[in-house]
Amino acid sequence: MRLTHEKFRELAVKHGLAVTHQRQVVYEAVIASHGHHSPENIHAAVRRHIPSISLATVYNNLRLFIECGMLREVTPHATTVRVDGNLKPHHHLVCSRCKSVQDIEGEFVDFKRLSRHAPDGFDLTQPLIEVFGLCRRCRAKK
Amino acid sequence: MRLTHEKFRELAVKHGLAVTHQRQVVYEAVIASHGHHSPENIHAAVRRHIPSISLATVYNNLRLFIECGMLREVTPHATTVRVDGNLKPHHHLVCSRCKSVQDIEGEFVDFKRLSRHAPDGFDLTQPLIEVFGLCRRCRAKK
DNA sequence: GGTTGTTTTATAATCATTCTCATCCGATAA
DNA sequence: TTATCGGATGAGAATGATTATAAAACAACC
């Protein structure tokens, strides 16, 4: 774990974050977990090292790490359900910052290649593709 | 609105749903809204026709519609945040049913074509692609 | 080592969503 | 028409994830 240790200090300094013990352990827990985990999961893992750590601290730090690009959010959608009555095949362009969704048409996915890379048994008969980026407005702001 | 009226009755019968006034109005509100709206939004729209309708009824019926494929869910992710420490460029394969996420590599997107179809100003410099489908386990169940 | 501003903690608050259950409604049988 | 039955609805409570608050602890800089 020495490597992640160093890596964390480096990243934190680079992004102007104070290096605290909690942050270090939260970051290492995410890296060590090798998957797509919830704050609750990470909290459980971190508690094995710091039993007293608060769930709020985990949330706060995960959010910070995501904001400065040290981690990626796997669920960069709006926090409420959105519903779409358009059943014609089409894809979505989602803004990672403001969560706005626009429809996008056009053939830009090679489905043959895609299913060759997909794990066996994954059903791609009616795939929905979502492409995340920054919408014009949010791009201008930052 | 006569057309959606008919269409709804047809769809409801096809999927074995009772045709109620509330359902009809909820469905029509989604279709008429032409976008990606939250249950709260839909509720507000429906209230203009049925002031006494409950938010729970809107939720119930939206869920039913989604389950039988009359509507599409735009946020088919897990309901909690998930975090990913892997910063190498890679994409995700998400199961629409159980929300599990797997990494997928490989060049299956034509980015040139994609950005040609994207609206002006949309920033695709570090795009994340999510492909929704059914994982092997969920496919077997259904 | 002291000061200052940030971070952590515990807890309360908020927000979206689901649950509960009493009531209602519509279809069918009598 | 009336009685019955099962599913649908409505009001509000319950749940679960996340965020806000404010006091105590800490890291960074001098």
Side-chain angles (χ1 to χ4, degrees), chain A:
Chain A
M1 292 298 102
R2 206 101 282 275
L3 272 177
T4 356
H5 233 75
E6 305 288 303
K7 189 171 155 199
F8 172 75
R9 298 191 148 270
E10 205 175 287
L11 282 167
V13 169
K14 181 170 131 201
H15 292 105
L17 299 180
V19 175
T20 70
H21 184 217
Q22 284 87 338
R23 276 185 189 158
Q24 197 140 22
V25 177
V26 169
Y27 180 75
E28 287 173 14
V30 176
I31 299 302
S33 68
H34 280 299
H36 312 99
H37 294 272
S38 66
E40 201 88 37
N41 288 159
I42 303 294
H43 183 226
V46 170
R47 280 231 262 197
R48 290 202 288 273
H49 299 93
I50 314 177
S52 67
I53 196 170
S54 143
L55 181 56
T57 298
V58 173
Y59 269 97
N60 287 340
N61 288 320
L62 289 179
R63 187 147 40 85
L64 271 178
F65 296 159
I66 289 166
E67 272 166 15
C68 71
M70 289 167 59
L71 298 180
R72 194 155 94 170
E73 190 178 357
V74 183
T75 49
H77 267 298
T79 57
T80 73
V81 164
R82 298 301 157 90
V83 127
D84 188 350
N86 178 3
L87 290 185
K88 277 176 289 189
H90 68 281
H91 305 305
H92 290 143
L93 217 46
V94 185
C95 175
S96 306
R97 192 169 302 257
C98 72
K99 321 299 189 189
S100 66
V101 178
Q102 307 177 61
D103 290 351
I104 181 171
E105 318 234 343
E107 304 294 323
F108 53 85
V109 177
D110 183 338
F111 287 106
K112 278 201 197 98
R113 219 178 250 216
L114 169 57
S115 48
R116 216 176 304 129
H117 285 288
D120 223 39
F122 203 96
D123 184 348
L124 284 169
T125 47
Q126 294 188 332
L128 162 64
I129 311 276
E130 306 212 322
V131 180
F132 294 86
L134 270 185
C135 73
R136 189 217 305 245
R137 198 180 298 181
C138 289
R139 183 195 207 176
K141 276 185 205 155
K142 186 56 195 308

Side-chain angles (χ1 to χ4, degrees), chain B residues 6 9 15 20 32 39 42 49 60 78-79 92 120 129 131 134 140:
Chain B
E6 306 287 304
R9 298 189 149 271
H15 293 104
T20 71
I42 303 294
H49 299 94
N60 288 339
T79 56
H92 289 144
D120 223 39
I129 312 276
V131 180
L134 270 186

Side-chain angles (χ1 to χ4, degrees), chain B residues 38-40 55-56 59-60 63:
Chain B
S38 66
E40 202 88 36
L55 180 57
Y59 269 98
N60 288 339
R63 188 147 39 84

